[in-house]
Amino acid sequence: MLLFGEMNFILTFASPNRQAMKGKTIQPGMLDRLLKNNAFMVIWCIIAAFGTYFCTYAFRKPFNAGTYEGYMLFGVSYKTILIISQMLGYLVSKYCGIKIIAGLNYGKRILYIISLVAFSEAALVGFGLTPYPYNFGFLFLNGLPLGLIFGIIFSFLEGRRFTEMLSLGLTINMIMGSGVLKSVYFIIRDALHVGEFWMPAVEGLVFAGPFLLFVWMLSRIPPQSESDIAQRTKREAMTSGDKRRLLAGFGVGLFAIVAINALLTMCRDFRDNFMVEVAREIRLSDSMNIFSQIETLLGIVVFICVGCLSFIRSNKKCFIVQHLMVFTGLIILLGGSWMYSVGELSPQWWFVMVGYGIFLPYITIQSVYFDRFIALFRTKANAGFLIYLCDSAGYTCSMLILLYKEFLAGDISFSHVLYLISIFVPVFSLLLLITAGVFFRNKFIHNQ
């Protein structure tokens, strides 16, 4: 009731472009004046983006903290069925997002966010109400709207002089949000003695109030300034013609980056979905706080690395540094897994290094890479379109590795599958990165 009851309030009073009400012009308030200050603007955006996306995770991620032991369907563990169901919904959402986010109506973004999350919570309630084994379809419905949230939130942040800093809220959340919410899951479950099938809906309701607060903060972020447009180009909805021209001119380089991101998404999702099982197999820890501890540490390191990109004013130099960051992460991923295979690294430290090796390049591509690409080549585009090309390919790969593990890999352990893909992913990604680097270098020289 809280989520729906406050929706009208948010939609009525949260618009950042309010010009008039009842025929009277509204003068800028104190908050509007404060948001013109760069430091205040950066802090406000970080908190708004982090809070909104973190709370959105509470409607999507908590169910996979459960193990659903003893439940089977079609000869497959029920948890795998649930993950596949939600991922299918998320995957469909990402493919739809290629069109929807690229042509997003900026005036209705708040309506979209609240409506999508409300729909996902209703699906979780249906998941709890419907008995096993008939409730897995509700997780498809839960994932279906949530795949669009990231693109909508990022549309408030892209094309700014400080986009790298503004996006830090999303950056750190993509790393630590899932781990923290797994720990919160166990706390709520033990305190309220809620069953596994009702826990996702309960945790979503716990975060409904904070979600609305952060959405209101998000809605107050002003549009691009003239200096933002001068440095990063104007961001606006793309037509079909704009998409065709972009892909015709930069297809080779963009394909290589999309492929790298797809492989990293596959690795990240498998690690995240089966974090509890992998941790048990490698005897990481029995503490319910271990996931939040590891992911928070990862988040801080990547937070600092990505945030520092804002201090590089030259789009060309920043683009080069981003490629070096992707390269560094891939080397960490490959090196950590090789050291683990020859016994030079403990399973615990291998698990941590896999996290660093995945998230440094993944976050670089997912949150800031395309913003600088658009600014460097001065092409008409928005980052949302390119991010959703990455996501649709990425979640397709995630689905494939999940199906491989369940139906083709036999009794292979979760930790061994993670080891195999943490070798395969960086090897192929490094080849793709070299291809992208050479293509964009030649493209830049040709455009001069």
Side-chain angles (χ1 to χ4, degrees), residues 245-433:
R245 283 188 290 273
L246 178 68
L247 296 178
F250 300 93
V252 174
L254 291 175
F255 171 81
I257 297 300
V258 167
I260 293 171
N261 189 80
L263 293 172
L264 290 169
T265 301
M266 174 183 69
C267 201
R268 183 207 68 163
D269 274 5
F270 189 87
R271 177 181 179 273
D272 179 60
N273 287 329
F274 298 105
M275 186 183 293
V276 175
E277 288 79 5
V278 171
R280 287 179 178 175
E281 290 175 1
I282 66 176
R283 299 177 183 177
L284 184 61
S285 175
D286 292 328
S287 170
M288 65 183 179
N289 294 319
I290 189 65
F291 305 116
S292 60
Q293 292 170 3
I294 291 175
E295 304 302 89
T296 300
L297 194 60
L298 287 174
I300 292 172
V301 173
V302 178
F303 183 97
I304 293 171
C305 291
V306 174
C308 286
L309 294 174
S310 277
F311 296 104
I312 306 176
R313 292 186 59 84
S314 167
N315 291 319
K316 178 183 176 182
K317 290 180 180 178
C318 187
F319 200 57
I320 293 171
V321 171
Q322 287 176 341
H323 281 83
L324 292 176
M325 288 172 62
V326 173
F327 176 82
T328 300
L330 294 173
I331 292 297
I332 291 173
L333 180 57
L334 181 61
S337 294
W338 177 80
M339 291 173 65
Y340 171 66
S341 70
V342 298
E344 295 295 325
L345 197 66
S346 70
Q348 291 83 358
W349 275 108
W350 166 69
F351 187 76
V352 173
M353 286 191 69
V354 167
Y356 281 107
I358 293 171
F359 280 111
L360 183 60
Y362 174 79
I363 295 298
T364 300
I365 295 173
Q366 191 75 9
S367 64
V368 296
Y369 182 91
F370 295 119
D371 194 75
R372 289 287 189 162
F373 161 76
I374 294 169
L376 175 62
F377 290 102
R378 312 297 293 183
T379 184
K380 183 181 179 183
N382 57 56
F385 169 67
L386 296 168
I387 289 172
Y388 274 74
L389 284 178
C390 283
D391 280 350
S392 57
Y395 284 98
T396 300
C397 288
S398 293
M399 179 64 68
L400 292 175
I401 195 64
L402 188 60
L403 295 174
Y404 164 79
K405 166 64 180 72
E406 194 60 39
F407 299 107
L408 298 177
D411 294 329
I412 188 171
S413 66
F414 291 102
S415 57
H416 191 61
V417 173
L418 181 61
Y419 162 72
L420 290 176
I421 60 178
S422 65
I423 292 289
F424 166 83
V425 165
V427 169
F428 281 88
S429 294
L430 285 168
L431 295 175
L432 290 166
L433 184 64

Side-chain angles (χ1 to χ4, degrees), residues 66-78:
T67 58
Y68 305 93
E69 291 184 1
Y71 293 100
M72 302 286 291
L73 185 63
F74 311 124
V76 179
S77 71
Y78 202 55

Side-chain angles (χ1 to χ4, degrees), residues 135-302:
N135 56 356
F136 66 90
F138 283 99
L139 283 186
F140 172 84
L141 297 176
N142 169 259
L144 191 59
L146 294 180
L148 299 173
I149 299 295
F150 180 90
I152 299 175
I153 295 175
F154 194 75
S155 70
F156 286 92
L157 311 176
E158 70 166 303
R160 317 275 181 159
R161 288 170 296 161
F162 307 105
T163 287
E164 290 83 3
M165 284 190 178
L166 302 185
S167 65
L168 287 177
L170 289 174
T171 299
I172 195 170
N173 190 47
M174 285 190 285
I175 301 169
M176 62 176 281
S178 181
V180 171
L181 285 166
K182 283 182 173 65
S183 296
V184 174
Y185 175 99
F186 295 127
I187 293 171
I188 296 174
R189 183 197 64 183
D190 295 342
L192 302 180
H193 304 289
V194 180
E196 286 183 316
F197 291 103
W198 272 107
M199 266 303 303
V202 171
E203 188 159 354
L205 287 174
V206 168
F207 284 89
F211 165 75
L212 290 171
L213 172 63
F214 290 121
V215 168
W216 172 80
M217 291 182 65
L218 197 66
S219 73
R220 301 313 306 253
I221 298 174
Q224 283 181 286
S225 66
E226 292 183 4
S227 55
D228 288 332
I229 295 172
Q231 186 169 336
R232 299 290 182 95
T233 73
K234 184 175 178 59
R235 305 303 164 89
E236 53 191 347
M238 296 177 67
T239 65
S240 297
D242 296 331
K243 298 172 192 175
R244 287 194 295 269
R245 283 188 290 273
L246 178 68
L247 296 178
F250 300 93
V252 174
L254 291 175
F255 171 81
I257 297 300
V258 167
I260 293 171
N261 189 80
L263 293 172
L264 290 169
T265 301
M266 174 183 69
C267 201
R268 183 207 68 163
D269 274 5
F270 189 87
R271 177 181 179 273
D272 179 60
N273 287 329
F274 298 105
M275 186 183 293
V276 175
E277 288 79 5
V278 171
R280 287 179 178 175
E281 290 175 1
I282 66 176
R283 299 177 183 177
L284 184 61
S285 175
D286 292 328
S287 170
M288 65 183 179
N289 294 319
I290 189 65
F291 305 116
S292 60
Q293 292 170 3
I294 291 175
E295 304 302 89
T296 300
L297 194 60
L298 287 174
I300 292 172
V301 173
V302 178

Side-chain angles (χ1 to χ4, degrees), residues 58-60 62-63 86 119-129 138-139 142 197-202 204:
F59 295 88
R60 174 188 166 210
F63 91 91
Q86 191 192 57
F119 185 90
S120 72
E121 174 62 16
L124 293 180
V125 172
F127 177 68
L129 283 172
F138 283 99
L139 283 186
N142 169 259
F197 291 103
W198 272 107
M199 266 303 303
V202 171

